[in-house]
Amino acid sequence: MIESVQGIQSHPETAGARAYQLIEELYPICRSITGNGVRQTLSILSKRIPLQTHEVPTGTKVFDWTVPKEWNIQDAYVKNSRGDRVIDFRNNNLHIVNYSIPVRKKISLYELKKHLFTLPDHPDWIPYKTTYYKENWGFCLTHNQLSTLNEGEYEVVVDSTLEEGHLTYGELYVPGQLEEEILVSCHICHPSLCNDNLSGVSVATLLAEYLLSVDSNRYSYRFLFIPGTIGAITWLSLNLEAVARVCHGLVISGVGDSGGFTYKKSRRGETTIDRAVVQILQHSGRDYACVDFSPYGYDERQYCSPGFNLPVGRFSRTPFSEYPQYHSSADNLSFVKPGALGESFFLLREIMHLLENDGTFLNLNPHCEPQLGKRGLYNSIGDNELAMLWVLNLSDGSQSLLDIAERSGLSFAAIQSVAELLCKHSLLERVGD
Ligand code: ZN
């Protein structure tokens, strides 16, 4: 398994196809912030990576929140007076408002409509709605479907349970040489939605597979597959020792659409992870935008709350607020593309590569430029001559390779490769860790 990973991951197309296969497998599952859909999802991920599954009991206090009751659902439908299922959870799990309480009753169309949700602007799409923290029930349907419902009596059945149970999340720790950790977090609480939720899950899984296949990582890595908001709050609350070791982190979400990249900076704004992501995007040849932190979005809200203020940014493609398919049945298997997933994975791998290889060096021949020609370095470096001059000049022990890449305008890859070459020729040596 592990031997094959690097081969599979060596091209964006094959890596993207592998991520897409995982999305196809996970797509039909009805997930929520708790329940068997999350467990089933984690058990599928466990076939690829050695995930540890945690179960946190209902009622556990986590900062200002409480782990909620566990929700599970077997079936849900609305039948008309002829006995036809006019809204059927079995056709699409978005039809039920997520966390709907059990219901079994007959009501009029007028009463039923108080519990129905549609998207009039997109009459063929089913919206995605939740009612996690308020006990209620409802159905989502296409606007076209709604317009076919006639006056009359309807039988409503929600065969769900909302009981004491657990909040389930997955965690993978990949030890490295350093105790300092890089945190990678994605949410796993959405039902059949692909870009929001499954793209992050699948690309994070690929990244974990990759890091597990590397002989020796410098940093340790911690991957979290958690329900949004309550999962991040729960993990933070129960893992303060690990939190203290987080030195860089990314929330990965919405990485499967065909749009350009969007990086949302950490609350601190100029941390190494912020600079590393921007550096890689700048030299990626792709469209990208870098936006400042705001207290709205995914789990960066919790990681960047003032009591933690972790160096955690968010890596996405099109922001969730900017694609109309967001939180609807149109965020489906045709909205996400294998090529986009593969490209996202490759950039994330480059970001990790930068963090792994950044460091500070000392020029061992600092009095005027060393004579490169007599060492055969002019011929061997070609286009990298400029990179070499920058590295030699700025390597006074105070500036990292990332600092040099930023100041020179050259790519980190170019700066790093000449630093390695100069080390081989004893013109440079690494200082610090
Ligand atoms: Zn969402």
Side-chain angles (χ1 to χ4, degrees), residues 111-280:
E111 280 304 310
L112 176 64
K113 278 187 172 172
K114 293 179 187 167
H115 294 271
L116 299 184
F117 302 91
T118 68
L119 292 168
D121 290 343
H122 296 284
D124 292 329
W125 299 355
I126 307 165
Y128 161 58
K129 296 259 177 229
T130 66
T131 183
Y132 300 143
Y133 300 105
K134 182 171 177 238
E135 293 203 354
N136 200 348
W137 64 272
F139 284 84
C140 297
L141 64 165
T142 71
H143 204 68
N144 290 338
Q145 233 178 328
L146 176 67
S147 59
T148 66
L149 299 183
N150 299 317
E151 291 299 329
E153 193 178 58
Y154 287 86
E155 182 190 358
V156 176
V157 171
V158 180
D159 183 8
S160 66
T161 53
L162 187 60
E163 297 167 338
E164 303 276 309
H166 294 84
L167 175 148
T168 312
Y169 70 88
E171 185 169 23
L172 171 71
Y173 177 69
V174 185
Q177 293 157 22
L178 300 176
E179 281 213 329
E180 282 89 349
E181 295 184 9
I182 298 182
L183 180 73
V184 177
S185 177
C186 60
H187 63 294
I188 49 155
C189 49
H190 291 28
S192 297
L193 295 167
C194 284
N195 200 37
D196 187 4
N197 180 62
L198 292 181
S199 67
V201 170
S202 69
V203 169
T205 302
L206 252 66
L207 192 60
E209 283 182 317
Y210 167 72
L211 291 163
L212 285 162
S213 76
V214 171
D215 274 346
S216 177
N217 294 304
R218 195 158 70 96
Y219 285 107
S220 298
Y221 290 81
R222 190 175 299 274
F223 286 79
L224 298 179
F225 297 86
I226 49 174
T229 306
I230 187 69
I233 293 170
T234 299
W235 184 81
L236 285 163
S237 162
L238 302 179
N239 293 278
L240 294 176
E241 279 183 24
V243 172
R245 293 194 294 269
V246 173
C247 57
H248 315 292
L250 286 176
V251 168
I252 303 178
S253 75
V255 288
D257 65 278
S258 307
F261 289 91
T262 306
Y263 177 66
K264 177 178 167 182
K265 289 182 180 179
S266 71
R267 180 176 181 270
R268 282 147 68 175
E270 288 302 326
T271 65
T272 303
I273 187 67
D274 299 313
R275 295 168 52 205
V277 177
V278 170
Q279 163 67 214
I280 294 299

Side-chain angles (χ1 to χ4, degrees), residues 270-346:
E270 288 302 326
T271 65
T272 303
I273 187 67
D274 299 313
R275 295 168 52 205
V277 177
V278 170
Q279 163 67 214
I280 294 299
L281 288 174
Q282 254 174 8
H283 292 274
S284 68
R286 310 286 173 215
D287 285 343
Y288 76 96
C290 179
V291 299
D292 283 333
F293 177 79
S294 64
Y296 187 61
Y298 291 97
D299 284 328
E300 67 277 10
R301 294 157 63 166
Q302 314 311 329
Y303 301 125
C304 297
S305 56
F308 289 109
N309 203 14
L310 295 177
V312 174
R314 190 183 83 212
F315 185 84
S316 303
R317 298 186 74 115
T318 306
F320 62 87
S321 54
E322 292 176 22
Y323 59 95
Q325 295 86 349
Y326 172 71
H327 279 192
S328 84
S329 56
D331 180 5
N332 58 21
L333 288 168
S334 53
F335 183 61
V336 293
K337 306 289 182 209
L341 294 161
E343 204 179 57
S344 301
F345 163 68
F346 262 63

Side-chain angles (χ1 to χ4, degrees), residues 77-81 83-87 153-156:
Y77 56 85
V78 175
K79 273 186 184 171
N80 64 16
S81 54
D84 306 324
R85 286 186 175 219
V86 291
I87 309 173
E153 193 178 58
Y154 287 86
E155 182 190 358
V156 176

